[in-house]
Amino acid sequence: MDLPITYVLVHGAFANAAHWSPLVRALALRGHRALAVDLPGHGLDARPGGMAGISTADDVAAVVDVVRAAREHGPVVLVGHSRGGLTVTAVANAVPELLDRVVYVSAWCCAGAGPSEYATVAPSALDRLAPRLLLADPAEVGELRVDFRTTDPELLDALQDALLADGTRTELHAMLATMDLGEALAIDETAVRVDPERWGTLPHTYVRLADDRALLPALQDRFVADADALLPVPFATAELATSHLGVQLRPAALADVLVPTGP
């Protein structure tokens, strides 16, 4: 009997492993192992100093440790959502031999440029909202610190539109309550760019979220187009009609994309 796949799930900015719980359950009920990683400083790995000083290298080391251990038990598919795509790319560049596929779920995949350049391609509703959510000057506190516990109705309406337009206010409050208030500033622009000689050896899938207003479809399409132009093997692609956070709240369709259906 074939060994079950282990899906290693990497969260996005201000998120943590808890946001993957519905997908972990969906994959387990399809007969596969799944585990979600808390990147350094996130979720249950929260630290007294917050996110200050945490680097891309720290994120990569944490995920490589998990991937290496999981690989002892069979195939590994590494899945990233949103900013988690940066970590997925850096891990795939570092240890492609430990992975069987990488999957980007409306996630950053920097092939033709670095994150700073891509950030100007399609500014989203969340980008415009970010300055109103800041709790402190990032240069002073060494991290991005935002107010996801706001009770301001106008800000909540804007967050609903940006993150979960296809959900209820109750669902939005539940997601915001579990989000971290800090995020690391440092991104190694070289490490998170696709290395054609290493990342390019792996099968890769992009799951486009057609109703995403936080990472717009235009930017998702640009990631795919740039990678396909750089490499001989194109992305396998799938499209889901859901929002940035809706894909995690209602993960059945994503689980169907991830789990092989062939013999």
Side-chain angles (χ1 to χ4, degrees):
M1 186 175 72
D2 291 339
L3 291 171
I5 295 169
T6 299
Y7 294 89
V8 177
L9 311 175
V10 181
H11 61 77
F14 302 101
N16 53 65
H19 291 176
W20 287 116
S21 294
L23 180 62
V24 169
R25 179 172 61 248
L27 290 171
L29 292 174
R30 286 162 170 79
H32 292 278
R33 290 187 291 252
L35 59 94
V37 179
D38 272 324
L39 293 177
H42 287 272
L44 296 179
D45 193 56
R47 303 172 183 191
M51 302 296 298
I54 293 175
S55 67
T56 299
D58 296 321
D59 290 345
V60 171
V63 177
V64 167
D65 283 348
V66 172
V67 166
R68 195 179 303 280
R71 182 69 179 188
E72 295 180 8
H73 307 288
V76 175
V77 174
L78 184 61
V79 182
H81 177 243
S82 195
R83 177 169 155 157
L86 299 177
T87 303
V88 165
T89 298
V91 171
N93 287 341
V95 290
E97 69 280 2
L98 298 181
L99 301 171
D100 291 85
R101 178 174 290 273
V102 290
V103 181
Y104 295 79
V105 182
S106 191
W108 287 71
C109 180
C110 300
S116 296
E117 184 173 336
Y118 278 115
T120 67
V121 171
S124 71
L126 191 59
D127 296 321
R128 294 188 292 272
L129 181 60
R132 298 171 59 192
L133 291 169
L134 280 176
L135 290 170
D137 182 348
E140 292 183 2
V141 298
E143 66 176 357
L144 293 170
R145 190 176 296 170
V146 299
D147 184 13
F148 284 127
R149 310 293 187 260
T150 181
T151 59
D152 183 328
E154 184 180 350
L155 280 177
L156 286 169
D157 285 344
L159 285 167
Q160 186 91 55
D161 179 71
L163 297 172
L164 192 59
D166 55 351
T168 67
R169 185 55 58 92
T170 298
E171 289 174 328
L172 178 69
H173 279 303
M175 293 296 284
L176 295 179
T178 61
M179 292 184 80
D180 297 332
L181 303 185
E183 182 56 72
L185 282 172
I187 296 175
D188 183 333
E189 297 244 345
T190 300
V192 301
R193 286 185 64 167
V194 165
D195 180 345
E197 300 301 319
R198 297 181 66 77
W199 185 99
T201 65
L202 289 168
H204 39 279
T205 299
Y206 202 98
V207 182
R208 183 183 192 267
L209 302 187
D211 299 331
D212 196 334
R213 299 177 186 172
L215 202 163
L216 295 178
L219 183 52
Q220 299 175 53
D221 293 343
R222 173 71 178 274
F223 291 142
V224 172
D226 284 359
D228 286 355
L230 186 66
L231 301 166
V233 179
F235 261 112
T237 59
E239 180 170 302
L240 303 178
T242 187
S243 64
H244 198 67
L245 296 183
V247 72
Q248 293 180 311
L249 279 173
R250 289 173 282 279
L254 177 57
D256 289 341
V257 170
L258 294 175
V259 174
T261 57

